Each structure stands twice: as structure tokens, then as C-alpha cells.
Amino acid sequence: MFKRPVQIFAIVSTLFMVFFASGALARQTDKSYELLPAPDLWYNDTDGIRVGLRLKGQVPGTFNDGPHRLDFGIWLGTWFPTYPVSYFVKYTEPVAAISDFNSEGSISVISSIRTGFHRHALRFDKRWQEGFNEDVFREFHAESGGHRRFSHEYVPFPSVWQDDWLYYLNAGYELQKEMADRRGLTNVKLTSMFGLLDSDSYVKVSVELNNRIEFAHGFGIHVRGSGGFSSKNMPPEYGLLRSMASPIDWMNSGFTRAKGTIPTPWMESGAVNIAGGPSIRGYNREDIEMMKEGMPMLFRNMYAVNAELDYPNPLDRAFEGIPLLGEFLRLRSYLFYDGGAGLTLEQSFAADAEQSIAVSSIESEVSPYFSNIGAGFMLSLNIPDYLGKPRGFVIRYEIPFWLSHPENGQDRLRYRGLVGIGAVIGL
């Protein structure tokens, strides 16, 4: 039945040996270090049910906030695809000379081969925080590494991926502070990236500004402005999509890393929106349809604004009354506006070549500015980590009922429902 029964048996045996050995080590270790094993199950359409082991390594009592931190996972795809074994490992070591309480500086080594994607990197992080207020901080990071898509079996839309090794150096800075009256937060993110793909180099810079202002209990406004700017040699997985996160960002979540975890028919229908990028969410179906046809509308330069106006709802107030859970469970109700404009990758190439003709009939027909208006609900369960960063899930149901430039002759005003993964505006 299987072409490689001996290899498969060896892989399964190895997984079981690692599981039992790690369990024995966790029981027998002294107080200087501990390994905490846990079984892990996941699913995608290529691996099937992916069975594996997760290991957390730490100094006892540090709660993932001390030296010698290890995050390791190894998995076996039970459908035995071409690449049945996958792994992820991250080892983090704080730098004592630049670390303080809640203001750690650290170096991490990251390596993974999973869902048809190589990623290997060396990363430096530094955080500055005063006291126990996790809402006020500054962070800097720098990362150097490489990645490569070596299998297209796992991706729902292969047209947005290239196959070559991509080597990069990126850096980012994030600042978050409270407003003077403490009724809101401001968050600013700036990232830059230099990449090398074969003989072509490229540069990408992005900036994001988030504001949250609370007027009264249940009433408030969230506003986000973003811009992405890159050179013409940008690989397609880094291109900006109007309505959702760039394809490279899909690799940051187990829900979107491979097709099938979110049912493929849902994704192909355009009913699922993945937060990130310009997030002009009403154009989700059009963007998905273009990717299915192998003609994705990818932007190299784009700016966008997103605004959400909160209003109270009785379910959210009911959640607040639940003991313990009410502090972490939230149901937002809001009206939203998204708008943005930019140059597609193809349009940018034409401009750089000083060509005066349209690249294609598709490009010549689209509007330079896209916008939508709608209403939505967002359910979130968030139990922050020791730095106050979110841990949990965010699910949105949104109705972008008005589009400025609907395609295929559709009416501007009509019912359009979609389910969203992740928050468009993080604050």
C-alpha cells in the first residue's frame, strides 16, 4: 500500500521513542531545568491528521520568562505525503547585560521545516517596559535568515508563491503608549526589510498606526492607518493584497499555514478573511477569485485606512458578568469603513519601464481607490501572556454591504457576508 513502509515504520518508532524518552526526562530531571512534553494533533488536507509531540524547556519556576527557553515540536502526517515529517524549534537565551524586569533583551535561533516551507533564522529582541503596565512599552527586533517554498501541495493558491530561496535581513520598532486621559491607546509599528532572491535584491518598508479611544462604556472608535512600499523586485508572497494579509504572513498561524485546516471550499468561496495588510475587507471575494484564476492582484505600494465605531450590545454586557471568564471574553459590535489605493506589481513594472500603455485590460479597469462600508461582530477570548501580549482567538462576522467599485457588474449596495480570522485593528 505504501511505497516506503520501512521508512515510515522508522519514523513512527522514532516519534514514540522521543515521546517516552522526553517524558522520562521530565520526571527525572533535577531542579536546574525541566522539559514539559505534551501530545499535539492538527489537520490539513495534505498531511491529514498530523500527530506529534510538543516540548517546552525552561528553568523551573520561570514560567517561560527565564534563561534557556526551548519550544520544540515534531509531527508525522498520517496520510504519509511526500514529506511526512515536519518540525519546529526555537531556542531563546536572554542577554543579561541588557535585560531587566519586563524589559528583556534576547537572542533566538529558529528553524522549521513544515507544510512545504523551510524557514531558518537568527533573531534579536529588546523590550522596554516600566513597571507592571504592559500597555506602555517599546520593542525592537532584528532578524536574519532565509526561507523557501519547496512544495505547493500545501498552499490553496500556488500563484502567489515562488520556489527559490529567499534570504533576508529585517528590523522593526514598535511603540505603544496610553493617551493623556488614559481612555485610549496609541500604537506605532515601523518595519524595514532587505531581501536577496537569486541575483535580485529588494527593499520593503511598512508603517502602521493604531489608535483606540473610548468615549463611554460600550462606545469607542478604533482607527488604523497603514502603508507598504517596496522595490519592483518584490517576490509575490510579499505582495500586498487589498483585503487581507500577504501570503507570507499566512505562515504565522496554524489555521492558515496549510490548506484544509480552514475547509478549502470556504477559502475558495472567499467567505474567509485573514486579517492583515490593507484590510479593505469588502474585496475579499474578488481577491480570492483572482488568486484561483492565477492572476492575483498584488500591490507593491499601498496605503490604507480602517475605522471601526463601537456601540454597545447586550451579549457583551452579559459576558462581563461571567465570573473569571468575563474578564477575557468579549463580543464587540461595530460599524466599519476601509479605504486605500496603490500600485499593483504589474503597474509598477510598467511605470519603472516608462511604458505609457496599460499592462492588461484588468489593470486598466480597476479604480485607483477602493473603499467599503459595513457592520460586524467580533468574538474574542484573550488570556494575555506575562508581557500582556494576546493569546487566544479572534473570530469576526462582517457584512461589507457597500463597495465603491464592485466587480462583475454587481450592485454597490448588497449583502456580502464573511467570516474573519484575527482582528483588523489590534488594539
Side-chain angles (χ1 to χ4, degrees), residues 145-214:
H147 61 71
R148 174 178 173 250
R149 165 66 61 191
F150 63 88
S151 173
H152 288 265
E153 291 182 84
Y154 291 88
V155 292
F157 310 110
S159 62
V160 293
W161 287 94
Q162 52 84 36
D163 301 323
D164 297 327
W165 273 102
L166 188 151
Y167 303 98
Y168 64 87
L169 173 64
N170 68 36
Y173 181 78
E174 181 176 359
L175 168 68
Q176 183 167 298
K177 63 180 183 179
E178 292 180 322
M179 296 182 178
D181 57 4
R182 295 190 176 184
R183 298 186 67 179
L185 290 174
T186 299
N187 179 281
V188 181
K189 298 177 184 178
L190 176 65
T191 59
S192 62
M193 178 176 180
F194 171 80
L196 184 64
L197 180 64
D198 290 338
S199 59
D200 291 330
S201 60
Y202 61 91
V203 177
K204 180 179 181 180
V205 177
S206 60
V207 61
E208 183 177 328
L209 172 65
N210 287 271
N211 277 287
R212 185 188 76 196
I213 303 173
E214 296 180 3

Side-chain angles (χ1 to χ4, degrees), residues 15-29 34-39 53-56:
L15 282 173
F16 276 104
M17 285 190 293
V18 170
F19 180 83
F20 288 116
S22 61
L25 181 59
R27 291 189 296 269
Q28 297 174 7
T29 186
E34 62 183 2
L35 288 173
L36 307 175
L53 169 74
R54 296 297 299 256
L55 281 177
K56 289 285 188 180

Side-chain angles (χ1 to χ4, degrees), residues 89-140:
V89 61
K90 180 180 180 181
Y91 179 79
T92 301
E93 192 66 46
V95 181
I98 58 172
S99 296
D100 201 352
F101 177 74
N102 282 345
S103 297
E104 181 183 89
S106 64
I107 295 176
S108 301
V109 179
I110 302 166
S111 179
S112 70
I113 301 176
R114 56 183 174 182
T115 62
F117 190 70
H118 277 280
R119 183 195 172 202
H120 312 284
L122 180 66
R123 183 180 174 96
F124 170 79
D125 289 275
K126 173 58 184 156
R127 179 183 175 94
W128 296 267
Q129 177 185 316
E130 296 182 5
F132 294 93
N133 189 352
E134 295 92 355
D135 288 335
V136 179
F137 65 86
R138 292 174 293 139
E139 287 187 344
F140 171 80

